[in-house]
Amino acid sequence: MKNKDDYLWDRSGEPDPELRELERVMGSLGQGKTTAPRRPPLLRQLLIFVAAAAMLILAFVFSTEPYRGEALISGTWIRTAEEQRTLQVPTLGEFSLWPDTELQVQTMSDELAKLYLLRGRMSAFVYPDVPARFFQVNTPAALCVDLGCQYELTVEANGNTFVRVSLGQIAFENGERSVYVPTGAACRANPENGAGLPFFENSSGDLRQSVDAFDRASFAGQDRRPLAREIMKHATREKDSLTLFHLLSDPDSSIALAAQQRLVELVKPPQGLSAQQLESSPDDHIRSLWYEELELLWY
Amino acid sequence: MLQDLVKGLRSGNQEAFARLYEIFGPVVHGILLLRVGAAEAEDLTQEVFLRVHGKIKDLRDANSLPAWVCSTARNLATDHSRQQSRRPRLEPLSEYPDKGPEADEELATRVLERLRSLPEAYQEALILRLVEGLSGPEISACTGLTQASVRVNLCRGMSILREQLRKDGWP
């Protein structure tokens, strides 16, 4: 049966004159059709090797799986026993629940999709067109806010939570505190103290161990300064600035200042920061300048 | 198919890179065009593919390639936009001449501005359909979105765009 939107969808059905005119006018802006000045094409030589690309596109398009939808209703609990379960939610994403996982749908509205992962493990692939912060997963330890990505979240029986991001970025939040976890990075959180320090999973074993020790000491209320020094000693790559950046907001100003000094040694400091500012404990403004400077290094 | 493509990219196969560009070039260009000017979109398209090429070893799941390429394009456009000034104010479409290639080009730029003002979820689907000439199933395959999601975004987005264009005196 024909639908009035078939032409818009795949150009089958009755052509819509208004749409055809829009296609004609807008097509002039398509790839390679604009008359705007360009730099020499870096990829042109590679295109010489293109052979059966059109066939590939067709094969690729027709190999996609059919759509399977699943509605999530606010208040519903989803529990898995020994089986793994996959949820495909239209216009939101795809979610896998590992065995022995317990999850509640807290909010499902036009403004927010919020789940509560009580225990177990879930992986989430949020569709790229879903706005940042629209999809959130609360846990006993921290709120995991999607900023456009694919990630895995594990909640242990005691509420300790671990997130690892394989694509994009999430924010691990407790009240006003926000920890950024980008692609390839991970972070722990516990119910009493919230999120710990993020770290890249391919960072050195020494750095990962010192972050672990620092988080444990933080969660246990122990002296953390010697452990912070260990982190700074083992943070030797530009990407390790992810961990150092989050120490800039440490409540212990001596740790925050030491982290800033280590950052200055490791990467170029943000423009506009005076020597005096770099030698004092960083405030919100300085932290935001650092964030803008460092964000690209983490991608 | 994606597994083979990613395998070829990881091994440095130039033909695989050319295939990647052929498949995803229009999608990347469309995503960029929503966020930067036409000249920048052409240039940044190349940079997106160079970045993808450089980072392909970090991609764990080949099935995530479409979403990852799109995400790379969005991030690069965002970085670029931070350095640019604000876009010009929208002008009524009816104030522009209605004949000739120059008029068409001007009109296209104006419609693009209207398109950029739509809810974000609809922008990409519509620009890929109207500007890059992809069909709904092709958009789905190249962005990683389900066909149902793309269809909804196209239909709802088109409905809003039509309404806005009529208010603006679309011919």
Side-chain angles (χ1 to χ4, degrees), chain A residues 144-210:
Chain A
C144 183
V145 179
D146 167 70
L147 301 175
C149 67
Q150 183 172 2
Y151 62 90
E152 191 177 291
L153 198 57
T154 305
V155 178
E156 297 170 359
N158 59 6
N160 286 348
T161 300
F162 183 72
V163 67
R164 54 163 28 125
V165 177
S166 50
L167 198 62
Q169 180 175 253
I170 64 108
F172 229 6
E173 295 183 349
N174 298 95
E176 292 184 356
R177 180 161 182 265
S178 187
V179 171
Y180 299 100
V181 190
T183 305
C187 186
R188 297 179 194 83
N190 93 342
E192 286 76 34
N193 303 82
L197 290 174
F199 57 96
F200 280 101
E201 292 197 278
N202 65 359
S203 57
S204 71
D206 286 338
L207 179 61
R208 281 181 282 128
Q209 282 171 20
S210 51

Side-chain angles (χ1 to χ4, degrees), chain A residues 6 42 44 46 91 100 109-110 113 115 132 145 147-148 152 160 177 183 208 214 220 222 225 232 238 286 293 295:
Chain A
D6 283 347
L42 300 169
R44 183 172 290 164
L46 291 170
T91 72
D100 199 26
S109 71
D110 290 342
L115 308 178
V145 179
L147 301 175
E152 191 177 291
N160 286 348
R177 180 161 182 265
T183 305
R208 281 181 282 128
F214 184 87
Q222 297 165 350
R225 290 183 188 181
M232 288 161 211
E238 285 188 337
I286 292 176
E293 188 69 30
E295 187 189 8

Side-chain angles (χ1 to χ4, degrees), chain B residues 23-32 70 73 128 132 134 138 142-143:
Chain B
I23 296 168
F24 292 103
V27 177
V28 167
H29 181 264
I31 288 172
L32 292 168
C70 294
L128 296 179
E132 305 298 342
L134 300 180
E138 287 170 328
C142 291
T143 59

Side-chain angles (χ1 to χ4, degrees), chain A residues 115-152:
Chain A
L115 308 178
Y116 179 69
L117 182 61
L118 177 65
R119 66 187 170 93
R121 183 172 162 197
M122 72 173 283
S123 66
F125 173 65
V126 183
Y127 294 142
D129 64 340
V130 174
R133 303 193 65 83
F134 179 83
F135 178 68
Q136 305 181 1
V137 183
N138 210 349
T139 74
L143 177 68
C144 183
V145 179
D146 167 70
L147 301 175
C149 67
Q150 183 172 2
Y151 62 90
E152 191 177 291

Side-chain angles (χ1 to χ4, degrees), chain B residues 21-129:
Chain B
Y21 189 77
E22 185 76 9
I23 296 168
F24 292 103
V27 177
V28 167
H29 181 264
I31 288 172
L32 292 168
L33 191 59
L34 278 172
R35 295 160 171 87
V36 302
E40 291 97 331
E42 295 283 354
D43 289 338
L44 289 176
T45 297
Q46 299 179 23
E47 288 191 29
V48 168
F49 282 96
L50 291 175
R51 190 176 280 197
V52 166
H53 185 249
K55 298 265 189 183
I56 193 70
K57 286 187 171 58
D58 296 339
L59 183 68
R60 293 184 194 173
D61 180 2
N63 290 322
S64 301
L65 180 69
W68 184 55
V69 171
C70 294
S71 170
T72 301
R74 289 186 201 103
N75 288 340
L76 195 64
T78 303
D79 296 343
H80 183 84
S81 300
R82 282 179 184 153
Q83 300 158 15
Q84 308 301 310
S85 56
R86 294 173 66 86
R87 294 194 191 108
R89 189 172 61 87
L90 295 180
E91 300 292 345
L93 293 164
S94 53
E95 288 182 6
Y96 283 81
D98 58 359
K99 298 283 182 194
E102 284 184 11
D104 277 350
E105 197 173 318
E106 190 63 50
L107 194 57
T109 307
R110 298 282 158 182
V111 175
L112 179 62
E113 287 302 323
R114 297 300 186 281
L115 216 155
R116 285 168 171 162
S117 71
L118 297 181
E120 198 170 333
Y122 307 147
Q123 292 178 13
E124 284 184 12
L126 278 180
I127 201 164
L128 296 179
R129 175 66 182 82

Side-chain angles (χ1 to χ4, degrees), chain A residues 160 189-196 211-224 227:
Chain A
N160 286 348
N190 93 342
E192 286 76 34
N193 303 82
V211 168
D212 187 33
F214 184 87
D215 280 348
R216 287 176 194 280
S218 297
F219 296 161
Q222 297 165 350
D223 181 16
R224 302 169 307 129
L227 300 167

